[in-house]
């Protein structure tokens, strides 16, 4: 038996290909080698099966991870054979080209009329830096589809059970031959459900679910940051006919702060010092998320210097303590108009002691006056 080709090579994609790139590559190969376009061509049929096997693995994150680590041996015997069950996941690949999906080629694998899971929901939650740092509980107002109380989700008036579709005998499919395949299409009478509603519920209009708004409590742990996603199991939309309820995913966005800048668990702020404070040193009170803290500035501090206030930052999500609060020093340079004449004289005197020439130096002005009388 010939060794199996590398699945990435089969689809013609790199090992770092995204899910979209994998799907696009498979779509092209499936259309090119589909048996209906290559009737009697054994080589095309083999390539079609090979591409389908590769896609079955690389489109599934768990199977792909095992394949990347262990190769074909990591997939066991259940993956790699031409198993019609595999194609239940590919119904969107060829429908645009041939009017049917792979799941229908072999009769499908989902029981028609069975419960269908509800959709997952996503909610973007904006937090202040303080809320993200310390955590809190929030009440979210979530619109979603819920099981209709009037018919208990049956979609029939009075909660009666749906009737079996006579057109497809409850299978949800009608079959016909296309090429050498037996193709199954969704039954047009029941839209593939296998059941029909003869007396629809007036509350949900025969849908089995109604629109509702639900107040949901969510606990935000201390230390979350933009990009953190919280999963609330079973808080998404209700399934149809007993199908499982979806999940609610809360995506965190931390809004900018007026005074603080966040870098992971650390908080940064700026401190303006006068020239005298920078040269002589001082002690100042610095605002932090945990209140004002005393910070000693040593003599001779240069602009841009940084000082750390240990454990005054944000809780780490892994529970390993807090980050630090980092203070960056800026040198505050006032405009001459903001200073009194006495302060300006003192600065000129300092400049003279340093041997520095400054704009508006009195010695220069005096020489000008002497020159012109």
């Amino acid at each position: 038996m010939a060794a199996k080709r590398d699945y990435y090579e089969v689809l013609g994609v790199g090992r770092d290909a995204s899910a979209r790139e994998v799907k696009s590559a498979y779509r092209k190969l499936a259309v090119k080698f589909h048996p209906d376009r290559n009737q009697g061509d054994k080589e095309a049929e083999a390539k079609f099966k090979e591409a389908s096997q590769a896609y079955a693995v690389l489109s599934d994150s768990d199977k792909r991870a095992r394949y990347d680590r262990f190769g074909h041996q990591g997939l066991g015997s259940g993956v790699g054979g031409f198993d019609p069950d595999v194609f239940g996941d590919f119904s969107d690949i060829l429908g645009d080209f041939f009017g049917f999906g792979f799941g229908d080629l072999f009769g499908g694998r989902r029981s028609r009329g069975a419960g269908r899971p509800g959709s997952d929901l996503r909610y973007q939650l904006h937090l202040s830096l303080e809320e993200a740092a310390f955590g809190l509980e929030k009440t979210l107002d979530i619109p979603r589809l819920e099981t209709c109380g009037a018919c208990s989700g049956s979609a029939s008036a009075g909660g009666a059970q749906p009737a079996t579709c006579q057109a497809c005998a409850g299978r949800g499919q009608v079959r016909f031959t296309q090429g050498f395949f037996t193709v199954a299409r969704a039954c047009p009478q029941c839209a593939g459900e296998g059941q029909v509603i003869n007396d629809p519920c007036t509350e949900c209009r025969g849908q089995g679910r109604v629109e509702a708004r639900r107040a949901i409590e969510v606990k935000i742990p201390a230390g979350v940051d933009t990009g953190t996603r919280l999963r609330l199991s079973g808080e998404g939309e209700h399934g149809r006919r007993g199908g499982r309820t979806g999940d609610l995913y809360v995506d965190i966005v931390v809004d900018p702060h007026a005074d603080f800048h966040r870098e992971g668990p650390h908080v940064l702020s700026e401190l303006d010092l006068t020239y005298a404070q920078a040269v002589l040193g001082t002690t100042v009170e610095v605002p932090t998320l945990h209140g004002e803290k005393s910070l000693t500035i040593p003599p001779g501090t240069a602009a841009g210097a940084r000082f750390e206030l240990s454990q005054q930052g944000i809780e780490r999500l892994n529970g390993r303590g807090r980050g630090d609060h980092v203070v960056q020093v800026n040198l505050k340079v006032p405009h001459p108009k903001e200073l009194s004449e006495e302060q300006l004289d003192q600065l000129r005197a300092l400049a003279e002691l340093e041997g520095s020439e400054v704009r508006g130096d009195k010695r220069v002005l005096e020489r000008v006056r002497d020159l012109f009388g």
Side-chain angles (χ1 to χ4, degrees):
M1 180 180 294
K4 291 183 180 179
R5 293 172 62 202
D6 180 81
Y7 285 151
Y8 291 98
E9 179 185 342
V10 169
L11 296 185
V13 298
R15 303 190 78 84
D16 59 346
S18 66
R20 177 174 295 183
E21 291 171 333
V22 168
K23 184 174 181 179
S24 177
Y26 171 66
R27 181 189 293 270
K28 294 176 182 177
L29 293 174
V31 172
K32 181 178 180 180
F33 297 116
H34 191 275
D36 276 359
R37 290 191 172 182
N38 303 272
Q39 293 190 19
D41 188 336
K42 296 298 184 181
E43 183 180 355
E45 181 181 348
K47 289 183 177 180
F48 177 72
K49 293 179 180 180
E50 185 181 46
S52 299
Q53 293 165 6
Y55 182 72
V57 173
L58 300 187
S59 64
D60 185 298
S61 58
D62 291 335
K63 293 176 183 176
R64 182 174 178 175
R66 294 200 304 271
Y67 179 72
D68 287 344
R69 188 173 182 185
F70 302 110
H72 292 289
Q73 293 181 345
L75 301 174
S77 59
V79 177
F82 190 67
D83 182 357
D85 224 27
V86 168
F87 300 105
D89 297 331
F90 306 151
S91 60
D92 62 331
I93 296 295
L94 297 182
D96 294 340
F97 300 94
F98 302 104
F100 55 82
F102 265 139
D104 293 330
L105 285 173
F106 302 94
R109 61 176 178 177
R110 185 180 63 193
S111 174
R112 299 298 177 176
R116 296 187 178 182
S119 299
D120 294 334
L121 298 178
R122 282 171 173 77
Y123 184 95
Q124 189 176 83
L125 178 61
H126 285 257
L127 300 176
S128 68
L129 181 60
E130 288 83 358
E131 289 175 327
F134 297 107
L136 75 164
E137 290 189 1
K138 282 274 191 179
T139 301
L140 309 182
D141 182 28
I142 305 296
R144 67 184 187 184
L145 292 174
E146 297 186 352
T147 301
C148 175
C151 66
S152 300
S154 70
S156 296
Q161 293 301 311
T164 300
C165 176
Q166 298 301 312
C168 64
R171 291 190 296 270
Q173 299 172 333
V174 290
R175 299 169 182 268
F176 65 97
T177 300
Q178 181 164 334
F180 61 87
F181 283 115
T182 297
V183 180
R185 292 184 185 273
C187 174
Q189 185 70 27
C190 63
E193 294 289 338
Q195 299 173 329
V196 292
I197 308 297
N198 294 322
D199 186 13
C201 171
T202 56
E203 185 71 23
C204 64
R205 300 179 182 179
Q207 298 301 310
R209 299 183 298 179
V210 294
E211 294 183 358
R213 301 192 75 90
R214 186 68 56 187
I216 297 177
E217 298 288 335
V218 55
K219 185 174 182 180
I220 310 298
V224 295
D225 200 355
T226 296
T228 299
R229 170 173 286 182
L230 307 177
R231 175 174 174 263
L232 279 68
S233 180
E235 293 294 357
E237 290 189 340
H238 289 192
R240 295 184 61 189
R241 300 182 184 175
R244 72 168 185 84
T245 303
D247 300 328
L248 172 63
Y249 292 90
V250 181
D251 295 324
I252 302 297
V253 176
V254 181
D255 294 327
H257 194 277
D259 300 315
F260 301 145
H261 172 71
R262 178 176 182 174
E263 291 186 359
H266 307 300
V267 177
L268 280 67
S269 65
E270 297 183 353
L271 173 65
D272 292 335
L273 294 181
T274 65
Y275 179 71
Q277 288 175 317
V279 172
L280 302 176
T282 185
T283 299
V284 295
E285 294 297 313
V286 176
T288 74
L289 290 173
H290 306 278
E292 291 195 344
K293 304 297 178 182
S294 181
L295 176 64
T296 299
I297 305 297
T301 295
R306 288 189 168 196
F307 299 92
E308 293 183 359
L309 294 169
S310 180
Q311 297 289 308
Q312 297 304 310
I314 297 173
E315 291 281 347
R316 292 180 170 87
L317 277 175
N318 59 16
R320 296 182 180 179
R322 299 177 188 162
D324 302 324
H325 187 110
V326 181
V327 181
Q328 178 173 304
V329 169
N330 296 327
L331 188 60
K332 183 178 180 182
V333 180
H335 192 279
K337 292 181 179 180
E338 300 174 351
L339 302 176
S340 66
E341 188 61 34
E342 181 182 358
Q343 289 174 313
L344 290 172
D345 285 339
Q346 292 176 346
L347 286 174
R348 294 188 187 103
L350 177 60
E352 187 171 355
L353 288 172
E354 293 175 339
S356 314
E357 288 190 9
V358 295
R359 188 175 181 180
D361 193 319
K362 282 188 174 181
R363 294 172 299 173
V364 176
L365 296 177
E366 288 171 358
R367 288 196 293 270
V368 171
R369 284 197 298 268
D370 291 342
L371 181 61
F372 294 97

